[in-house]
Amino acid sequence: RVGEGVVKERRSCCFVWKTRRGGKMSREVVKKIMLRIPAGQAKPAPPVGTALGGAGVNIMGFCKDFNAQTQNYLDGVPVPVEITAYKDRSFTYTMRTPPVSYFLLKAAGLDKGANSPGHEVAGYLSLKHIYEIAKVKQSDPSLKRHLPLKSWVSQIIASCRSMGIEVVPRPEDIPKKKKK
């Protein structure tokens, strides 16, 4: 709250609110770290340990807390995390939903996309699959919530195109796999 006796001071990395007597009202941000960590598999080894150690964050505290938060996820689901490290060696973090590419590959039953998208088709998805993925991504509080579901669907269809996944109108239109 900015009021009498409070000033805003510009530092190189952030704004720090100070009282006129010199006391700080908020913590000073040292570093913001973006990582993609598999659910339930945060370990103090690289890359997590090296990224957090340089910022002075309690690595074991983060790993235990992250693994406890992601225990309801399937093992190995990539979870994007934004970690904010403060000068007093404390930290906060926010988790986001897994990337769209992960959802698309799992829904299509693929390990990877096409080698030459546009020339070959790696797999098929129906609009129903796309709609469900869009609903999950729209529910993420850290993403742009002002986008309508139609915009999310069109962005996900574009991602399908770039991965070599063909989108069909109905689930019944997905071609059956031929047995060799």
Side-chain angles (χ1 to χ4, degrees), residues 45-167:
V48 177
T50 53
L52 298 181
V57 172
N58 179 358
I59 300 168
M60 278 309 296
F62 169 77
C63 290
K64 286 180 182 177
D65 195 34
F66 177 82
N67 290 338
Q69 289 281 332
T70 58
Q71 68 184 358
N72 295 333
Y73 287 51
L74 291 173
D75 275 348
V77 174
V79 179
V81 182
E82 182 178 352
I83 305 158
T84 306
Y86 298 102
K87 194 171 190 173
D88 63 353
R89 301 183 67 89
S90 63
F91 66 93
T92 57
Y93 68 93
T94 56
M95 298 188 312
R96 298 185 176 161
T97 56
V100 170
S101 59
Y102 172 79
F103 284 128
L104 293 175
L105 291 175
K106 287 298 173 185
L110 302 171
D111 293 331
K112 65 175 198 151
N115 289 330
S116 55
H119 298 287
E120 66 178 87
V121 177
Y124 296 89
L125 284 177
S126 69
L127 282 174
K128 184 177 180 180
H129 293 108
I130 305 295
Y131 177 75
E132 293 298 322
I133 294 169
K135 282 193 341 190
V136 169
K137 291 303 279 185
Q138 190 183 34
S139 70
D140 191 347
S142 61
L143 295 175
K144 298 176 184 175
R145 297 198 62 142
H146 65 277
L147 284 179
L149 196 60
K150 184 177 179 181
S151 298
W152 280 106
V153 169
S154 65
Q155 288 177 9
I156 294 171
I157 289 173
S159 295
C160 285
R161 216 174 282 131
S162 70
M163 294 175 70
I165 297 173
E166 189 174 316
V167 179

Side-chain angles (χ1 to χ4, degrees), residues 1-60:
R1 188 176 95 175
V2 178
E4 220 173 282
V6 179
V7 291
K8 187 176 180 182
E9 180 183 299
R10 177 76 173 145
R11 293 273 175 98
S12 62
C13 64
C14 62
F15 283 102
V16 177
W17 295 95
K18 287 184 144 189
T19 61
R20 290 201 192 266
R21 290 182 214 118
K24 291 183 184 174
M25 293 184 69
S26 68
R27 299 179 289 184
E28 188 175 342
V29 176
V30 174
K31 194 173 189 181
K32 285 197 176 218
I33 305 161
M34 294 289 296
L35 294 173
R36 189 177 293 172
I37 306 170
Q41 297 177 10
K43 299 178 187 97
V48 177
T50 53
L52 298 181
V57 172
N58 179 358
I59 300 168
M60 278 309 296

